[in-house]
Amino acid sequence: KMEQAGIAVRREVLSEFSTLLEGEINKLTQAIHEEAGTTFNIASPKQLGDVLFEKMMIPGVKKGKTGYPTGAEILQPLAPAFPIVANVLHWRELSKLKSTYADALPRLIAEDGRIHTTYNQTVAATGRLSSNEPNLQNIPIRTELGREIRRAFLAAPGYRLASFDYSQIELSVLAHMCGDENLVEAFARRTDVHAVTAALMFAVPESDVTKDQRRLAKLLNYAVLYGVTEYGLANQLGGGFSISEAKALIEQYRERFPKVKGFTEATVQEARSKGFT
C-alpha cells in the first residue's frame, strides 16, 4: 500500500534548490582552485591527491599504489588545519546533494506527482525495511542544506505527514540492563536523555539546548555505548572538537553514568568466554 500510494514531491522546490547548489558549488570550485594555485578536477581522487599532498605538501598522508588516499576518513582530521580540505569536503557534500537528490528525484516523479519507491522486507540484516529506486530512507536531515531536500516532500491536501519513532530505545534498554541509577532516573523522569547530556557537554541549561547541540550529545551517548575511542569521537563530532576534548567528554560521561562502562566491559568479556552475546 505504501508503494502504491507513493509520496507527493514539489518539483519546483527541487529545481530551485538545484540552481542554488550549482551557484554554491561554482563558488567553492573557484575558492579551491585559487587556494591550490591551479585548476584541476576536484572529483578526481588522483588529481585531488596530487594537488593536496604533492603540490601543497600537506603532511601526514602516504602515497599508495594507486595514488594518495582522499576518502573522508583521511580528509576530515585535516580539515580544521587546512581550509582547502574543508572546502573540498563541503564541495563533495553539495555535489552529492545536487546529483543524488535535487537533480535525480524530479526524474522519478510519476504522472500522479508522486514518487513510488520499492520497499524490501528481506534485505537488511537488522530486520528493518530497506528502500530503493529511489532510496527514500536516506533523505538528509543532519545539515541545514540537507533539510532543504525534505522541504520538497509534502502531504496531499487534507492529509498530514507524521513521524513515529521509539524514544531512545537502545539507551532505554541499556538503562534496564545495566541498572545505572542516573540513567534509570532520567528515563523515570521522562526527561530527554540527549538534552541532559547536551546541557552537560555545553554547560547550558537543558531549556537552552539547541538542535545541533542535542545531535552532538546523541552522538556521544551512542558512541560511548558502542566503545568509541577519543580519536573516533573527535572525528564524529567534527571540526569544533579536539581529541583531548573528546577524551574529556567520554570521561565526563562515564563519571555521570558509572555502571555503563562496567556493563559494556562485562558484556565484551562474556562474549569472549561464551562465544556469543
Side-chain angles (χ1 to χ4, degrees), residues 126-257:
T126 54
R128 291 180 175 185
L129 293 178
S130 69
S131 156
N132 64 311
E133 293 182 20
N135 183 352
L136 288 182
Q137 295 182 167
N138 68 344
I139 307 298
I141 196 169
R142 288 187 174 176
T143 63
E144 208 168 313
L145 277 169
R147 288 193 281 272
E148 285 296 307
I149 299 287
R150 294 205 170 202
R151 278 186 53 240
F153 291 84
L154 74 163
Y159 289 82
R160 288 185 180 183
L161 288 180
S163 171
F164 298 90
D165 192 7
Y166 284 115
S167 180
Q168 301 152 12
I169 189 70
E170 283 164 299
L171 293 178
S172 196
V173 171
L174 173 68
H176 175 78
M177 298 283 285
C178 76
D180 185 275
E181 290 81 357
N182 290 337
L183 204 52
V184 169
E185 191 208 350
F187 282 109
R189 285 195 292 123
R190 293 275 191 272
T191 51
D192 179 344
V193 174
H194 302 317
V196 170
T197 305
L200 278 172
M201 274 174 80
F202 297 99
V204 294
E206 275 177 53
S207 55
D208 292 347
V209 168
T210 66
K211 268 188 181 175
D212 274 340
Q213 286 173 336
R214 184 186 180 278
R215 181 178 62 78
L216 291 173
K218 185 175 178 179
L219 261 179
L220 175 69
N221 280 335
Y222 287 114
V224 176
L225 170 58
Y226 291 116
V228 76
T229 62
E230 49 260 36
Y231 176 77
L233 180 62
N235 253 350
Q236 285 183 33
L237 292 172
F241 289 84
S242 66
I243 293 171
S244 59
E245 284 172 322
K247 185 179 181 182
L249 284 173
I250 292 171
E251 284 169 3
Q252 185 183 30
Y253 180 92
R254 285 177 175 156
E255 280 168 22
R256 190 166 169 276
F257 302 127

Side-chain angles (χ1 to χ4, degrees), residues 25-209:
I25 290 165
N26 289 341
K27 278 187 214 165
L28 278 169
T29 302
Q30 199 175 339
I32 290 164
H33 288 163
E34 280 173 12
E35 286 167 321
T38 184
T39 57
F40 66 100
N41 180 2
I42 303 165
S44 159
K46 184 172 188 323
Q47 289 184 36
L48 177 65
D50 288 345
V51 166
L52 294 180
F53 305 118
E54 279 192 2
K55 184 175 186 300
M56 299 188 72
M57 299 184 67
I58 291 174
V61 178
K62 287 183 180 174
K63 194 171 188 175
K65 287 178 185 174
T66 55
Y68 289 96
T70 57
E73 71 285 353
I74 300 291
L75 297 188
Q76 270 164 354
L78 298 168
F82 300 97
I84 187 171
V85 176
N87 280 339
V88 166
L89 288 171
H90 194 35
W91 182 92
R92 281 182 182 173
E93 181 197 0
L94 298 192
S95 300
K96 183 173 181 185
L97 281 176
K98 187 174 188 302
S99 62
T100 309
Y101 303 108
D103 293 347
L105 288 174
R107 296 197 288 269
L108 298 166
I109 298 172
E111 284 178 21
D112 60 1
R114 299 168 81 87
I115 285 179
H116 299 266
T117 187
T118 298
Y119 291 106
N120 310 296
Q121 290 172 287
T122 54
V123 171
T126 54
R128 291 180 175 185
L129 293 178
S130 69
S131 156
N132 64 311
E133 293 182 20
N135 183 352
L136 288 182
Q137 295 182 167
N138 68 344
I139 307 298
I141 196 169
R142 288 187 174 176
T143 63
E144 208 168 313
L145 277 169
R147 288 193 281 272
E148 285 296 307
I149 299 287
R150 294 205 170 202
R151 278 186 53 240
F153 291 84
L154 74 163
Y159 289 82
R160 288 185 180 183
L161 288 180
S163 171
F164 298 90
D165 192 7
Y166 284 115
S167 180
Q168 301 152 12
I169 189 70
E170 283 164 299
L171 293 178
S172 196
V173 171
L174 173 68
H176 175 78
M177 298 283 285
C178 76
D180 185 275
E181 290 81 357
N182 290 337
L183 204 52
V184 169
E185 191 208 350
F187 282 109
R189 285 195 292 123
R190 293 275 191 272
T191 51
D192 179 344
V193 174
H194 302 317
V196 170
T197 305
L200 278 172
M201 274 174 80
F202 297 99
V204 294
E206 275 177 53
S207 55
D208 292 347
V209 168

